[in-house]
Amino acid sequence: MTTNKHLVASLLHTIATHTSDVNSVAFSPDRQLATASGDKTVRLWDTSDFTELSASPLVGHAYYVHCCTFSPFGTTLATCSTDGKLILWDVKSGSKVSTFQHSSKQSIRVCRFSPDSKYIVSGSDDETLALWDVTAKTLVRSYNTCHDASVVACAFTPDSTFIISGSSNGDLRVWDAKYGHGKVLTYTLEGHDLGVTSCDFSPHMKVKDSGVDGCVTYEFATSGHDNLVKIWEMTADLSCTSVVLSHKLTCKGHEGTVNFCCFSSDGNLLASASIDKTVRVWDPYCGQELCVVEGHTRYVTSCAFSSDSRLLASGSNDKLVMIWKITTQEDCIENYKEPQTAPNAKKKDAPRLIESWSAEEVGDWLQQIDLSQYKDTFVSNAIDGTELCNMTDRMLIDLGVAALGHRNKIFRCIKTTQNKPTVSRSVSNLSDNGIPDEYLCPITRELMKDPVMAEDGYTYERSAIQGWIDKGKDTSPMTSIPLKTKQLIPNRSLKMLIQHYLESGK
């Protein structure tokens, strides 16, 4: 089935709770949302009202969390991190079910459950894949003769029979996940010229002559540093476990590295996230671009469809998660409703932007979001809609909004009402403890005392990055790209800024 209708994405909600890059987003079958971040946390959300679940946040990783993924039934969440750990969590209680680790203890970049829920596979900077038994909590096998670079992408076929993996070198390899073979079944060195970033299988399968002698054709998508999304066919002869990969079509449109791609649950849509700050939705049958989703102010790292394909979540280096409602242009016309108006606007009034609100309307708005205790202060200080939109963290404190949670709620509600991502610089650049984010080491998330620059262009605390190198890790902890030199250059300018920050007592 092909959908030729162009789609419309409207911003439904923005989550601004994470204090570092949002690296991964995932929906459960019942539309709960998981978000994983460089702030070492994973958070769980109820998408019916976007409240954070009681089990959230999940805290257990020591470094960046790179990936999160739900089990097929949504009862378990898997996360993996730069700390080299793959953790399985009970979604309801938030407790750890089990923790896995590659023998090398190097960063784990990606993890995926098998569709039958029996296994989970993980890819690491140690250039290997590991297949784990979820119930027995044991390592089934390690695919050691694997890639010659970090494994950054992996996925199971819809029948859980095979695994495909991709590396930062750009190659794709297919492995047996069912019959016990440990060697690679087939590979291509021409996946993506500059490196693969992600892969995902469509749920659609074509079966010819079912049984052990049958032939099955799968469809999967990959993304890469060459700015492309590619769609492939994989044909497997089950009688001899022979597998052939063939390139089907290429989706062109992104203007930068495509960090992630994923199919909708019905296989009729394909989404991709890019450093060009957009998410694009494609028709996977013909490669037609159906929608360009714009809103993030920095690289988009990940995206995910809800189980009914009506919601699309995106995560970004701007620390935000945005949830978009996906509709066709025809549905938008049929179901059109006037935009939200000011709190006291009458039905006959024309729709008004938040910037045009009076101070009294701002006061009523505060009452609507359950912060009525600040209403009189805002009104007496003539905080109208324009002033509200230009509010900073310092201004809110001066107005008597001392509680950090209340200040964050005001900023979140402003963004939701505006229906666009306008985050105050003073808020977006602060960590959860009030320290400017650029002063924190990206590995330890602690204030740096001796900041140094590595070849990847990132600044780290010297002891943290030196410890990383001393463990034999030769790739960037931020990008997984190989570090050609281990030279560390003191970042004296940043050190002076940090010292000034400490001396000023801010």
Side-chain angles (χ1 to χ4, degrees):
M1 175 181 176
T2 301
T3 171
N4 292 317
K5 297 180 179 180
H6 283 276
L7 302 177
V8 175
S10 54
L11 184 59
L12 189 62
H13 187 76
T14 300
I15 296 171
T17 305
H18 285 292
T19 59
S20 185
D21 304 345
V22 177
N23 300 319
S24 181
V25 294
F27 279 102
S28 70
D30 58 357
R31 297 215 319 182
Q32 290 182 354
L33 177 67
T35 59
S37 170
D39 63 13
K40 309 178 192 177
T41 71
V42 180
R43 294 181 180 271
L44 301 172
W45 309 89
D46 183 343
T47 58
S48 64
D49 57 5
F50 297 103
T51 56
E52 191 165 4
L53 300 181
S54 59
S56 180
L58 306 179
V59 180
H61 287 292
Y63 298 150
Y64 259 56
V65 185
H66 293 292
C67 180
C68 62
T69 183
F70 281 99
S71 62
F73 296 106
T75 56
T76 305
L77 183 76
T79 62
C80 58
S81 164
T82 301
D83 62 14
K85 294 179 180 179
L86 168 64
I87 301 177
L88 303 187
W89 308 83
D90 181 283
V91 173
K92 187 175 181 180
S93 67
S95 60
K96 291 182 183 178
V97 176
S98 53
T99 301
F100 302 129
Q101 197 165 30
H102 286 228
S103 59
S104 67
K105 297 184 180 180
Q106 292 197 33
S107 298
I108 299 179
R109 299 286 172 176
V110 63
C111 55
R112 291 287 182 268
F113 281 99
S114 62
D116 61 10
S117 297
K118 292 182 179 179
Y119 305 108
I120 188 168
V121 65
S122 57
S124 169
D125 280 351
D126 63 10
E127 304 177 1
T128 70
L129 280 172
L131 184 67
W132 312 88
D133 186 305
V134 174
T135 303
K137 302 178 183 179
T138 57
L139 177 66
V140 177
R141 73 179 64 91
S142 181
Y143 302 97
N144 293 316
T145 55
C146 190
H147 298 273
D148 294 324
S150 297
V151 180
V152 295
C154 60
F156 282 91
T157 54
D159 56 1
S160 304
T161 301
F162 301 99
I163 299 169
I164 192 163
S165 60
S167 83
S168 54
N169 265 2
D171 58 331
L172 298 168
R173 296 175 185 259
V174 179
W175 312 85
D176 161 62
K178 188 175 182 180
Y179 298 107
H181 305 294
K183 64 179 182 179
V184 63
L185 301 179
T186 190
Y187 69 93
T188 174
L189 297 177
E190 301 175 354
H192 289 268
D193 290 342
L194 303 176
V196 176
T197 55
S198 74
C199 61
D200 192 35
F201 274 95
S202 166
H204 297 159
M205 296 167 44
K206 298 176 183 177
V207 181
K208 182 180 180 182
D209 300 326
S210 61
V212 294
D213 295 327
C215 185
V216 183
T217 299
Y218 310 92
E219 186 175 280
F220 69 96
T222 60
S223 61
H225 290 286
D226 53 9
N227 306 354
L228 301 176
V229 178
K230 294 184 178 181
I231 298 177
W232 308 74
E233 281 190 347
M234 171 179 152
T235 302
D237 185 341
L238 300 182
S239 62
C240 58
T241 324
S242 171
V243 179
V244 176
L245 299 182
S246 58
H247 177 235
K248 182 180 177 182
L249 57 88
T250 299
C251 303
K252 298 180 180 180
H254 282 296
E255 299 176 357
T257 294
V258 184
N259 291 317
F260 196 79
C261 65
C262 62
F263 281 96
S264 59
S265 59
D266 60 9
N268 291 330
L269 297 175
L270 176 68
S272 55
S274 170
I275 70 171
D276 65 9
K277 306 176 186 178
T278 72
V279 177
R280 295 172 190 257
V281 182
W282 312 85
D283 182 334
Y285 301 95
C286 63
Q288 178 188 6
E289 184 181 278
L290 302 177
C291 181
V292 179
V293 184
E294 298 179 286
H296 288 287
T297 58
R298 294 190 65 192
Y299 301 168
V300 186
T301 57
S302 56
C303 56
F305 285 104
S306 61
S307 56
D308 58 8
S309 305
R310 294 181 180 180
L311 299 181
L312 176 69
S314 57
S316 167
N317 287 0
D318 62 12
K319 308 176 189 176
L320 302 179
V321 178
M322 294 185 178
I323 298 91
W324 310 84
K325 183 179 180 181
I326 303 298
T327 54
T328 64
Q329 289 180 339
E330 290 82 354
D331 289 339
C332 284
I333 294 172
E334 291 176 4
N335 301 319
Y336 176 76
K337 295 181 180 179
E338 288 187 347
Q340 180 181 349
T341 60
N344 289 336
K346 299 178 181 179
K347 290 184 178 181
K348 65 179 181 179
D349 293 338
R352 295 174 55 210
L353 298 175
I354 184 175
E355 289 86 349
S356 66
W357 291 1
S358 67
E360 289 73 18
E361 289 169 334
V362 170
D364 291 336
W365 174 80
L366 285 169
Q367 189 167 346
Q368 287 181 3
I369 63 174
D370 297 323
L371 293 177
S372 57
Q373 63 267 42
Y374 306 116
K375 177 178 178 178
D376 292 342
T377 302
F378 273 62
V379 173
S380 63
N381 282 275
I383 305 300
D384 58 14
T386 300
E387 293 298 324
L388 183 66
C389 292
N390 289 289
M391 194 65 61
T392 66
D393 198 58
R394 183 71 257 174
M395 291 177 184
L396 285 179
I397 293 173
D398 291 342
L399 286 168
V401 188
L404 176 61
H406 288 177
R407 299 199 300 274
N408 287 341
K409 183 175 183 178
I410 288 173
F411 285 118
R412 287 197 300 271
C413 291
I414 290 173
K415 290 194 301 289
T416 303
T417 306
Q418 286 179 312
N419 206 31
K420 63 182 180 181
T422 53
V423 183
S424 168
R425 181 176 299 275
S426 64
V427 174
S428 62
N429 286 348
L430 292 180
S431 66
D432 53 357
N433 56 10
I435 301 173
D437 195 67
E438 61 267 26
Y439 296 172
L440 301 179
C441 172
I443 295 179
T444 65
R445 297 300 298 167
E446 296 175 355
L447 185 68
M448 290 183 281
K449 298 178 181 178
D450 186 11
V452 294
M453 287 186 63
E455 188 202 17
D456 60 2
Y458 285 89
T459 295
Y460 306 90
E461 173 63 31
R462 182 185 292 276
S463 60
I465 187 64
Q466 190 63 58
W468 173 271
I469 294 171
D470 291 345
K471 290 179 181 178
K473 300 180 180 181
D474 57 1
T475 58
S476 164
M478 300 299 292
T479 66
S480 78
I481 296 175
L483 296 172
K484 297 179 182 179
T485 174
K486 305 302 187 293
Q487 182 181 7
L488 303 175
I489 302 173
N491 191 333
R492 294 186 176 88
S493 298
L494 183 57
K495 186 173 184 178
M496 290 177 61
L497 289 172
I498 294 174
Q499 289 175 343
H500 178 72
Y501 169 82
L502 292 173
E503 292 168 359
S504 64
K506 292 182 178 179

